[in-house]
Amino acid sequence: MKTYQIPVCKGGESIVTDSFFDITNPSNGEIVSRIPKMNSADVDRAVAAATAALAETDWSHNGVLRAKVMLQWADRLEENIESVARQLTLENGKLIGEAIYEVTSQVGVIRYNAGLARTVSGRSHSLGRDSFAVVAREPMGVVAVISPWNWPVTLMIRDMAPALAAGNALLVKPASQTAGVSLDVLRLLLEETDLPRGLVHPVAGSGSDAGQAIVEHPGIDMIAFTGDGSTGRSIMRDASQSLKKLSLELGGKSPMVVCDDADLDKAVPTLVSAIFTTTSGQICTAPSRLLVERGIEGELIERLKKAVSAIRIGDGFDRNSQMGPMTTRDQYEKVLSFVERGRREGRLVAGGEPLQDESLAKGNFVSPAIFTDVADDSPLNRDEIFGPVLVIKTFEGDEEAIALANDTEFGLASAVFTENVHRAWRISRAIKAGTVWVNTYNRFYPEVEVGGYKQSGIGRMAGIDGLMEFTQTKFINFDSIPPQG
Ligand code: NAP
């Protein structure tokens, strides 16, 4: 078991607490990390220090300094990929290969945003012979990043990197379940770069205490939240008292549309990876609704059955495993209750059986499950399950495919598989979601904005627009009439 301390900047005062919380390994229930538990008084201190650091340092004015510090952070993370990935698998349960990919990809995200740090600029306008205006682009101020446990390194850095590049000071509240690996990544920034003192503050502690204190704090200018829709809505309600800017990245119930001319050799493995084996389906973009054109339903189901029965479930450190456990006990119980409901309300066509392997008994392992014949209004069709559960529905023609794809309160992601470019274009333009992949899935790039339509969120992450979310403009008007006489 690793006992953590809260990392602080070089020369900063260490944080002392006699309260701790433990993190258990989802594969076997053993305690792997002990984390200092911070509270609302710690949030007060962090906000005061962050506000002072913005006033006292050159950070928000100096893109060269920001780029330098961020590139140092990326280098340190790159040197530590293996140890960070190991802690990620211990706390989250995901396969070690996925963990290494997760950490590696974030090195690139930090470097991309480090480049952008030197491009943040405003505009000027001539408004007449004697009037001149500058629209300056300024950071928001003190920003809080609140992140979830499923892709904890990615989703923390996805908000932190543009927020830092834009010149803000940060409080960072990671999910409790994966707080250790998050503190490992933050330590590299705080203790192993030239980050000026007081600009970044980890806040390890529960959402209902430390998290809520962040939401209600009048000294915080913006919250960048990624997590569950119900938490997002409560943050929106409570943050309204101090009128904070919000970016909300929430859940999904994403459709994958497979047309009768699709390349099934590509569609089937892509689907199996995206809903079952990647993070055991605990990914916000998971294509949990398969919409298949009637003529190929039988063949597609047969292929899926074969693929699902071949998935090897096991510990994330076992290189033979293809699907790890549910990260939390709550999530394990939620998935099992949805599978049980699916047995009552629909037709189970693959998986969904209790696991027999004794070596998995102490972990949060579940079997993937595929259902058909589920009523449109069933929670199986409507709710985000956040696990390896797929519901299949058939359609005939583009119009029905589009209507079914859009028949959800969510709008995070989607996909269409077809060899016909006209169908691909028509369907992808008509789907109401922030992302549409054509003949692929779960591809993310630092350059490209993502975010949700409808109940899946507010704001855009990544790319230029993602950086702009962490800025505000200021109109400065010069009256240049020369003095008379
Ligand atoms: P969650 O329960 O909403 O928790 C997310 C974060 O919010 C955690 O750090 C949590 O702290 C904190 N929190 C909880 N209550 C809070 C409060 N009252 N005030 C402030 N912070 C609070 O979500 P999760 O279960 O970790 O993650 C799963 C959800 O995230 C799914 O719905 C998934 O779709 C969504 N997600 C969305 C995206 C996207 O990009 N759209 C990406 C990944 C995941 P504790 O851990 O201490 O409770």
Side-chain angles (χ1 to χ4, degrees):
M1 187 194 62
K2 185 168 168 184
T3 301
Y4 279 84
Q5 293 187 329
I6 301 298
V8 289
C9 284
K10 288 175 192 160
E13 262 180 54
S14 51
I15 292 160
V16 185
T17 168
D18 50 10
S19 178
F20 293 84
F21 63 95
D22 291 338
I23 298 174
T24 52
N25 180 341
S27 287
N28 56 24
E30 286 170 12
I31 295 175
V32 286
S33 313
R34 179 153 292 168
I35 311 286
K37 190 173 195 178
M38 298 169 71
N39 56 29
S40 58
D42 297 310
V43 171
D44 285 344
R45 270 193 295 276
V47 174
T51 308
L54 280 178
E56 289 160 10
T57 69
D58 208 22
W59 185 250
S60 52
H61 307 284
N62 190 337
V64 176
L65 170 65
R66 299 196 298 270
K68 178 183 140 195
V69 167
M70 292 178 70
L71 290 173
Q72 290 171 336
W73 186 26
D75 290 347
R76 297 295 86 78
L77 188 57
E78 192 169 45
E79 289 158 10
N80 288 277
I81 286 172
E82 286 213 4
S83 64
V84 174
R86 196 182 134 69
Q87 195 63 25
L88 175 52
T89 292
L90 278 175
E91 295 182 354
N92 170 286
K94 67 173 64 192
L95 304 181
I96 188 69
E98 181 181 305
I100 289 171
Y101 167 77
E102 174 167 357
V103 182
T104 307
S105 66
Q106 293 317 297
V107 173
V109 170
I110 298 171
R111 287 189 177 138
Y112 169 77
N113 281 282
L116 287 187
R118 298 181 66 167
T119 70
V120 181
S121 61
R123 300 191 311 273
S124 64
H125 293 277
S126 173
L127 299 166
R129 191 176 294 275
D130 297 323
S131 190
F132 182 69
V134 168
V135 180
R137 193 162 281 281
E138 301 190 341
M140 291 302 301
V142 178
V143 172
V145 170
I146 303 180
S147 45
W149 44 256
N150 63 327
W151 281 69
V153 176
T154 298
L155 300 170
M156 182 175 79
I157 290 178
R158 186 175 72 174
D159 285 329
M160 280 186 71
L164 288 172
N168 296 285
L170 301 183
L171 272 68
V172 184
K173 152 70 188 99
S176 297
Q177 174 65 33
T178 45
V181 65
S182 308
L183 292 179
D184 285 340
V185 174
L186 289 165
R187 191 191 66 73
L188 296 171
L189 170 65
L190 287 159
E191 297 180 1
E192 299 197 14
T193 72
D194 296 326
L195 179 76
R197 199 170 139 180
L199 282 165
V200 176
H201 301 267
V203 179
S206 76
S208 55
D209 181 8
Q212 190 64 25
I214 287 173
V215 173
E216 291 173 8
H217 204 294
I220 294 175
D221 302 291
M222 173 178 176
I223 295 176
F225 170 80
T226 306
D228 190 69
S230 62
T231 318
R233 275 184 282 275
S234 93
I235 288 177
M236 193 169 194
R237 184 192 63 227
D238 296 345
S240 70
Q241 294 307 309
S242 46
L243 218 62
K244 292 177 176 48
K245 180 174 179 180
L246 295 180
S247 127
L248 300 175
E249 292 291 313
L250 310 175
K253 189 79 179 170
S254 301
M256 180 186 281
V257 177
V258 181
C259 299
D260 57 7
D261 64 343
D263 177 355
L264 295 189
D265 289 339
K266 191 161 189 208
V268 171
T270 305
L271 174 63
V272 169
S273 162
I275 180 65
F276 298 129
T277 57
T278 304
T279 335
S280 312
Q282 301 169 112
I283 178 163
C284 54
T285 50
S288 47
R289 294 186 299 135
L290 171 63
L291 307 177
V292 52
E293 197 143 27
R294 198 148 294 136
I296 57 164
E297 183 194 12
E299 182 183 355
L300 190 53
I301 288 181
E302 281 315 307
R303 286 184 183 227
L304 280 172
K305 275 183 175 171
K306 213 165 147 197
V308 164
S309 63
I311 293 174
R312 289 188 300 273
I313 299 167
D315 189 297
F317 286 108
D318 180 345
R319 292 278 178 178
N320 289 318
S321 301
Q322 294 173 314
M323 187 180 132
M326 298 291 100
T327 299
T328 67
R329 202 68 189 169
D330 282 354
Q331 200 51 39
Y332 166 83
E333 275 155 17
K334 181 177 171 189
V335 169
L336 289 185
S337 81
F338 268 101
V339 171
E340 193 43 46
R341 184 169 198 142
R343 284 173 178 283
R344 288 196 311 272
E345 296 182 5
R347 190 166 70 87
L348 180 69
V349 294
E353 302 297 338
L355 294 166
Q356 305 300 338
D357 185 344
E358 276 297 304
S359 70
L360 305 180
K362 288 187 180 155
N364 303 331
F365 294 96
V366 300
S367 158
I370 303 179
F371 293 97
T372 58
D373 301 335
V374 176
D376 283 349
D377 60 354
S378 163
L380 232 71
N381 246 329
R382 298 276 150 202
D383 297 359
E384 182 185 47
I385 300 173
F386 217 52
V389 181
L390 177 70
V391 176
I392 302 179
K393 216 170 159 52
T394 54
F395 69 89
E396 196 79 63
D398 294 358
E399 274 188 29
E400 196 180 7
I402 293 163
L404 288 173
N406 287 335
D407 186 18
T408 168
E409 66 178 21
F410 296 106
L412 191 61
S414 59
V416 48
F417 276 75
T418 175
E419 297 295 290
N420 179 331
V421 69
H422 303 292
R423 294 193 80 179
W425 184 247
R426 204 176 309 130
I427 295 172
S428 48
R429 287 307 305 262
I431 288 181
K432 292 185 181 5
T435 295
V436 186
W437 284 289
V438 178
N439 295 332
T440 185
Y441 212 88
N442 274 344
R443 299 276 182 96
F444 298 97
Y445 309 90
E447 296 85 349
V448 178
E449 287 80 2
V450 291
Y453 277 40
K454 303 194 279 184
Q455 295 296 306
S456 289
I458 298 175
R460 290 294 176 268
M461 293 293 108
I464 309 281
D465 290 2
L467 177 79
M468 293 305 146
E469 294 276 348
F470 294 97
T471 68
Q472 56 193 332
T473 56
K474 179 187 281 172
F475 164 49
I476 304 171
N477 195 189
F478 290 83
D479 188 348
S480 59
I481 300 171
Q484 300 296 310

